[in-house]
Amino acid sequence: MNQPSNPEIPPATAFHPNGPKPATIPAALASDDEVQTASNTRKRKRLSRWFYVLCVAIASISVVVLVVLLVSIGIQGHSKISPDLVNNAHSELEPEQSGMRPAVIGSLLVCGICALAALPLGIGTAIFLEEFKPTHWWLRKLHGFIQLNIANLAGVPSIVFGLLGLTVFVYMFNLFGQIQVNKPSGLELFGVQHYYQVLSLEPGQTILIPQTDMEQKTITIDRPIQGMDADGNLFDIARWDRKSGPKPTDRSERLRTVKEGAVGGSYSQREWYYFRLPFGRSFLAAGLTLSLVILPVIIISAQEALRSVSPSLREAALGLGATKWQATRDVCLPAALPGIMTGAILAIGRSIGEAAPVLVVLGAAVAKNGGPENLMDSAVTMPVLIYNWAGRPQDVYQQLAAAAIIVLLIVLLVLNSVAIYVRQKVQSAS
C-alpha cells in the first residue's frame, strides 16, 4: 500500500547535467563554473608538481653536499688509508707512522658501556611509561611531568650532558674525595694492591713491599722488613752495605737483597676489574655520560614502537587471562622489537660520533697510546683524536684527520649493518 506523502517536504527533483539545478543543492555548487573548476584543478596539480620538485631539489642538494664532503675527505686522506692506520698507535715523534688503534679500541669500549647502560634503562622506562600508566590523579600528573621532561631532554645540547657527567660520574659531587694525580683518591673498593718498589742487587730487578700506610709515599730500607715475590709469597729482605763485605754472587740471593738505606717509591698494581668511587676521568665515566645523551632518544623511540602495537593484541592477551606484565612481555615487546631496535641503532650511531661530552669528561689529551687496562683507566676515542689532529697545522696531520674520519664512517656503517642484520633476524624469527 502506498504511504501518503508529507506535504511539508518538497517533492524530489530529477537531476540532469543540462537541466535546471535542484533547489536543495548548495549555492556554491549551483553556481559552479566548469571552466573555473578545470582552472582550479590545473592550479592544484601545478602546485603539487612544484612542491614535488622542491622536495627533490632539497634532497638532491643534501646528497650533493654529502657527496662533495665525502669526496673532499677521500681526496685529502686517501694517502693515509692503509693497514698501518688501524694497527699503529698515534705518535707525535713519527707522525708518518701514526695510527689510531687505541682510539678505535677506546671508542668501541665507550660505546659498549653506553649501550649496556642505556638500552636496558631506556627500554624499561618506556615500558613503564607506556604499558603501566597510573590511574591515580597525582600519579597521572607525575607521569605527565616525567614524559614532558624526557621529551625536552631529547633536545638538550650534548655539551650539557657532558657537564652533568663530569659532575656526577667523574667527581660524584666530591663525596668520595677529589681526584688527584699519583695519589689513591676516593673509595677504592677492589682490584688494586699498593706496594713500595725497591731496586734489588740484581740489575733491572725490583722487590715489592706491601704498602700499609697510604699517606707514606716512600720507604727507606734501614730495618728488617718483608718483601713479596712474583707468586705473592712473603720473604725477609736481606740488606747489604760495603762494610759487610762483597756483594752476593748467587742470583737468587741478589734478587732478595737490597742496599742498606735504599729508598723505594709507591707503586699500585691494578687488575682489569679495578673499581673505585668516584670514577674519575675514566672510559667508564665517558660511557655512562654518553648513555645520558642517547637515553631520551631510546625512551621516545621505544614508546613509539610500543604505541604502534595494535590494541587488539593487548586486549586478546588480557582477555585470555594474562596479566599486564605477561601481555607486555609475550605480546607487546616481540611486536615492538623491530621499532625498538631501529631507535637503538640510531642512538648508538649517534654516540660513537659524539665528541663534546667525551672532551668534557676525558679531556682533549691523546698522550695515552694504548687501550684501557682497567675499568678506571682513561681512553682515547676517535672523535677526540680527529679533533686533535685536525687542530694541527702540519699537512700530515690534516691527512691523518681526513683518513680517521673515513675510518670512523666505516666503523659506524659496520655497526649499523650488524645491528640491522640482527634486527631482521629477530623480526623474521618472531
Side-chain angles (χ1 to χ4, degrees), residues 25 184 283 345 371:
I25 296 178
F283 81 95
I345 291 168

Side-chain angles (χ1 to χ4, degrees), residues 294 297-298 342-352:
I294 67 172
V297 180
I298 293 178
T342 301
I345 291 168
L346 296 176
I348 298 299
R350 176 186 176 184
S351 69
I352 198 172

Side-chain angles (χ1 to χ4, degrees), residues 169 334 384:
F169 300 120
V384 174

Side-chain angles (χ1 to χ4, degrees), residues 155-169:
V156 172
S158 57
I159 188 72
V160 178
F161 288 105
L163 295 174
L164 179 63
L166 184 70
T167 304
V168 176
F169 300 120

Side-chain angles (χ1 to χ4, degrees), residues 41 44 94 195 377 410 418:
T41 303
R44 289 196 300 271
E94 297 178 349
Y195 302 98
D377 202 357
I410 293 174
V418 171

